[in-house]
Amino acid sequence: MNILIMGPAGSGKGTMSERIRDHFQIPHISTGDMFRENIKKKTGLGLTAQSYINDGKLVPDSLTVAMVKDRINKDDCSVGYLLDGFPRSLPQAMALGKIAVDDKAVQIVLNLTIPFDELVSRITGRRLCRSCGSIYHIASHPSKVEGVCDHCGGELYQRSDDTVESLKVRLNEYEMNTRPVLDYYSKKGLVVDIDASLPIEEVWQQVKKALGE
Ligand code: AMP
């Protein structure tokens, strides 16, 4: 199944995505992760994307759409995939409809909903593993040893855009650009709302149910 997961920064999108990937054995395609990977490797795409990302702005569609097109045409996506962070604007949603065969690019949209105050606390406490990308929170989901990943021993870091200021910009951007994407898929009857303010296990139960389990 081709799934799109949506939700503002801090809604637990990354955590649910990891679970969906592992449980349903489909590739997790996160445009944010792909950009960060390019930045780490200092590719041309990474260098261009970096300035936008640091300001909490969207990377231009021409670059983003081409990157996703390339990715979903890889063999491992034939079993389905999980899109995360894309499409993030109406033009991107329309572009995706054109890339994929017979409009099956997205078959269900999981829409994670959550109040603003809860987001601030989640975002500022978030930590990621530099090596494997695992996600932690200093209060609600700390690693066993501070600063060290439980899974691979990698170094944990705070994303440079995980600040209250950047969060505000990203939430504004989210409302402005992403609302039309939700409306677009709502009209197609594909959106399922998930209450993401609940504890992880309860959110996961809702997600599995939405995906037919
Ligand atoms: P994320 O990890 O999804 O929060 O993405 C981090 C940053 O990468 C965003 O703030 C944007 O600058 C950029 N980005 C990720 N996905 C997209 C997209 N679909 N279109 C444009 N920019 C994106």
Side-chain angles (χ1 to χ4, degrees):
M1 183 155 32
N2 300 332
I3 306 163
L4 165 61
I5 190 163
M6 294 181 75
S11 61
K13 202 160 44 86
T15 306
M16 283 306 127
S17 296
E18 281 179 6
R19 289 203 177 200
I20 293 169
R21 176 198 63 199
D22 294 346
H23 188 80
F24 294 96
Q25 297 280 299
I26 52 174
H28 172 209
I29 303 175
S30 155
T31 42
D33 284 351
M34 289 169 86
F35 284 131
R36 281 185 286 278
E37 190 63 29
N38 274 279
I39 291 170
K40 200 162 117 188
K41 290 186 180 150
K42 296 194 166 67
T43 66
L45 175 63
L47 288 175
T48 312
Q50 185 155 37
S51 55
Y52 294 94
I53 293 179
N54 284 349
D55 291 344
K57 301 224 174 79
L58 288 181
V59 178
D61 284 354
S62 52
L63 297 175
T64 310
V65 172
M67 181 177 78
V68 173
K69 182 176 179 184
D70 203 46
R71 181 65 189 89
I72 65 176
N73 280 319
K74 294 224 154 77
D75 286 350
D76 62 338
C77 289
S78 60
V79 292
Y81 49 76
L82 171 66
L83 287 177
D84 169 5
F86 181 95
R88 221 164 168 126
S89 65
L90 193 54
Q92 289 187 0
M94 315 263 247
L96 179 61
K98 286 194 194 123
I99 294 169
V101 192
D102 59 22
D103 203 22
K104 289 269 169 49
V106 173
Q107 293 165 301
I108 184 166
V109 179
L110 302 171
N111 179 34
L112 273 50
T113 61
I114 184 158
F116 178 76
D117 289 351
E118 174 69 25
L119 285 182
V120 172
S121 116
R122 285 189 181 190
I123 274 290
T124 51
R126 179 158 72 173
R127 300 291 181 272
L128 286 95
C129 174
R130 242 181 238 293
S131 307
C132 73
S134 292
I135 304 162
Y136 298 86
H137 187 279
I138 51 171
S140 63
H141 177 43
S143 56
K144 290 190 186 110
V145 178
E146 195 184 323
V148 179
C149 179
D150 292 349
H151 301 299
C152 73
E155 181 199 356
L156 301 187
Y157 76 105
Q158 181 168 28
R159 268 170 54 171
S160 59
D161 56 349
D162 274 354
T163 60
V164 179
E165 276 321 300
S166 176
L167 176 65
K168 281 186 189 151
V169 177
R170 282 149 80 197
L171 286 182
N172 274 339
E173 170 265 305
Y174 184 77
E175 261 312 299
M176 219 169 55
N177 294 302
T178 314
R179 185 61 51 192
V181 177
L182 268 176
D183 293 345
Y184 173 82
Y185 289 117
S186 286
K187 285 192 190 116
K188 293 175 185 270
L190 299 179
V191 178
V192 180
D193 284 333
I194 305 287
D195 179 354
S197 63
L198 297 173
I200 291 180
E201 286 310 320
E202 290 174 45
V203 180
W204 176 230
Q205 293 310 318
Q206 293 178 68
V207 167
K208 279 202 295 187
K209 193 169 164 216
L211 297 176
E213 278 213 357

